[in-house]
């Protein structure tokens, strides 16, 4: 499967056996803080940092899956020009109606009884636009996930327009509640990958992603998924460029957020929950003492958590909210801060 995908110029990377998370980083990348783009491991043929290591080189692919034949396959969506709608069917608390379809006001007279999952919000969005429901789109590759969700694969036939990944619960960029977008900065589990919970099973006979429908492209644009090209290609802005005083509360938050982000590409059991909990608790304490804006801190923590664990966003947000409010009830004044 990995070879077949790579043959289509879709870069692939190994997943941890039995899991949908990337294979573990090497020891150094587990302990050392650095940007994936600065990592020396890729040149050495290692698979560190999840989709950042994804490749179409057949010799490297043979070596990776030779070393770990039980590894599943992740596809890095951005360079493959893939846009995959990840429809969730998890039991979850249904949010207020203005959070179901961001940017669309659902009138009170619309009866939302029975709405329970991303299948419902996506169907609602399609109905609003008088377009066919993508979940029932038999012209494109659709993959049933072990948890009862659905991956709807499309290919972006205008790759000059790049779409960012998002989670359906993000307060900043989201298409619909319980519908994640996997595009640039994200990966998708390949069909036929088997994890402990079951197999990613293609539906019907179609094995090709169809072109992204124009109306969905317009919806992605409307909801802020288009990545604006930077006018001058130059060095990436440094994190230090943000208005943070060294040693200030913002700098402290940044270092905590970084410990969460660094869990990306590592398998479970590397202290992610503990790190997230500690970061959110401290941020809550700083916000409670007036050193930080709690909403902004929550946003940063949420984005870092989603980056590190894209498949457990609701769990992460539960942890963040609990720890933030626990921390806020114990205001925290670090030394050196007025
Ligand atoms: Zn490494
Ligand atoms: Zn590294």
């Amino acid at each position: 499967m990995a070879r077949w995908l790579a043959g289509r110029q879709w870069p692939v990377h190994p997943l941890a056996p039995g899991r949908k998370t990337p294979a573990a980083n090497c020891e150094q990348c587990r302990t050392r803080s650095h940007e994936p783009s600065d990592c020396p491991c890729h040149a050495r043929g290692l698979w560190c940092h999840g989709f950042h290591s994804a490749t179409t080189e057949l010799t490297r692919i043979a070596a990776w899956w030779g070393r770990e034949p039980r590894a599943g396959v992740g596809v890095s969506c951005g360079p493959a020009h893939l846009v995959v709608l990840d429809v969730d069917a998890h039991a979850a608390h249904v949010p207020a109606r203005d959070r179901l379809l961001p940017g669309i006001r659902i009138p009170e007279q619309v009866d939302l009884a029975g709405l329970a999952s991303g299948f419902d919000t996506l169907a609602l969005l399609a109905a609003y636009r008088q377009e066919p429901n993508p979940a029932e789109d038999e012209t494109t590759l659709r993959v049933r996930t072990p948890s009862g969700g659905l991956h709807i694969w499309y290919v972006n036939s205008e790759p000059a327009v790049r779409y960012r990944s998002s989670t359906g619960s993000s307060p900043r960029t989201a298409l619909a509640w319980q519908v994640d977008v996997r595009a640039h900065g994200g990966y998708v589990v390949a069909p036929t990958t088997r994890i402990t919970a079951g197999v990613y099973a293609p539906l019907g006979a179609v094995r090709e992603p169809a072109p992204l429908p124009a109306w969905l492209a317009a919806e992605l644009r409307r909801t802020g998924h288009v990545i604006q090209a930077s006018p001058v290609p130059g060095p990436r802005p440094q994190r230090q460029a943000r208005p943070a005083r060294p040693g200030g509360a913002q700098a402290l938050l940044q270092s905590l957020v970084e410990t969460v982000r660094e869990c990306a590409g590592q398998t479970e059991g590397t202290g992610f929950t503990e790190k997230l909990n500690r970061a959110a608790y401290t941020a809550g304490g700083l916000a409670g003492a007036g050193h930080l804006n709690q909403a902004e801190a929550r946003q940063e923590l949420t984005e870092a958590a989603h980056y590190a664990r894209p498949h457990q966003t609701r769990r992460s947000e539960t942890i963040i909210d609990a720890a933030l409010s626990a921390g806020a009830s114990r205001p925290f004044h670090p030394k050196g801060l007025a």
Side-chain angles (χ1 to χ4, degrees):
M1 178 53 67
R3 261 176 247 259
W4 181 78
L5 294 162
R8 322 191 45 157
Q9 298 308 306
W10 293 350
V12 293
H13 61 98
L15 303 177
R19 300 180 183 275
K20 56 189 179 182
T21 47
N25 283 357
C26 75
E27 192 60 42
Q28 284 203 320
C29 289
R30 243 174 273 175
T31 52
R32 191 180 48 187
S33 163
H34 55 270
E35 288 289 324
S37 54
D38 300 333
C39 183
C41 294
H42 300 151
R44 293 167 45 215
L46 301 179
W47 60 45
C48 299
H49 307 283
F51 69 84
H52 294 283
S53 69
T55 184
T56 57
E57 289 172 32
L58 295 177
T59 47
R60 180 166 296 190
I61 288 166
W64 280 350
W65 274 273
R67 185 178 140 195
E68 185 45 275
R70 298 168 305 146
V73 181
V75 180
S76 178
C77 297
H81 308 311
L82 289 168
V83 177
V84 179
L85 303 184
D86 177 359
V87 185
D88 279 337
H90 294 133
H93 173 72
V94 178
R97 58 175 65 212
D98 64 337
R99 292 288 304 275
L100 293 171
L101 297 176
I104 295 178
R105 215 180 57 79
I106 303 171
E108 289 299 325
Q109 53 268 35
V110 175
D111 182 9
L112 296 179
L115 183 142
S117 74
F119 287 99
D120 300 320
T121 54
L122 186 59
L124 193 60
L125 179 62
Y128 252 76
R129 300 301 183 220
Q130 299 183 298
E131 296 287 350
N133 183 356
E136 291 161 11
D137 184 351
E138 293 180 349
T139 70
T140 199
L141 172 62
R142 291 172 303 149
V143 178
R144 178 71 62 181
T145 74
S147 59
L150 187 69
H151 289 168
I152 309 163
W153 291 52
Y154 288 114
V155 66
N156 175 10
S157 36
E158 275 185 84
V161 181
R162 303 188 310 148
Y163 299 100
R164 71 179 89 248
S165 298
S166 72
T167 55
S169 53
S170 164
R172 191 174 290 179
T173 304
L175 181 64
W177 177 68
Q178 286 220 351
V179 178
D180 298 346
V181 175
R182 307 210 179 273
H184 279 273
Y187 71 96
V188 63
V189 179
T192 73
T193 284
R194 178 174 289 282
I195 64 172
T196 314
V199 69
Y200 286 78
L203 293 182
V206 174
R207 296 291 179 271
E208 295 286 328
L212 179 69
W215 78 271
L216 271 174
E219 288 301 303
L220 290 172
R221 180 176 293 277
R222 176 184 66 78
T223 48
H225 285 81
V226 173
I227 300 172
Q228 301 300 331
S230 48
V232 183
R236 281 173 303 129
Q238 295 295 307
R239 291 187 172 277
Q240 287 76 9
R242 55 173 82 228
R245 288 170 295 124
Q250 187 65 33
L252 182 53
L253 174 65
Q254 287 312 313
S255 68
L256 291 166
V257 163
E258 207 49 41
T259 64
V260 175
R261 282 181 71 87
E262 281 163 10
C263 294
Q266 300 173 18
T267 48
E268 284 94 342
T270 50
F272 169 77
T273 300
E274 192 194 324
K275 285 171 185 164
L276 181 60
N277 195 45
R278 191 189 311 143
Y281 182 82
T282 308
L286 290 166
H291 296 303
L292 281 180
N293 176 315
Q294 183 160 334
E296 286 173 17
R298 183 185 189 280
Q299 181 65 37
E300 296 217 28
L301 289 162
T302 304
E303 287 185 357
H306 290 182
Y307 173 78
R309 291 289 182 270
H311 295 290
Q312 47 171 266
T313 58
R314 273 166 296 281
R315 177 176 177 275
S316 295
E317 288 182 28
T318 305
I319 294 168
I320 290 168
D321 288 335
L324 264 179
S325 61
S329 66
R330 291 170 182 264
F332 170 50
H333 294 274
K335 287 200 181 83
L337 279 181

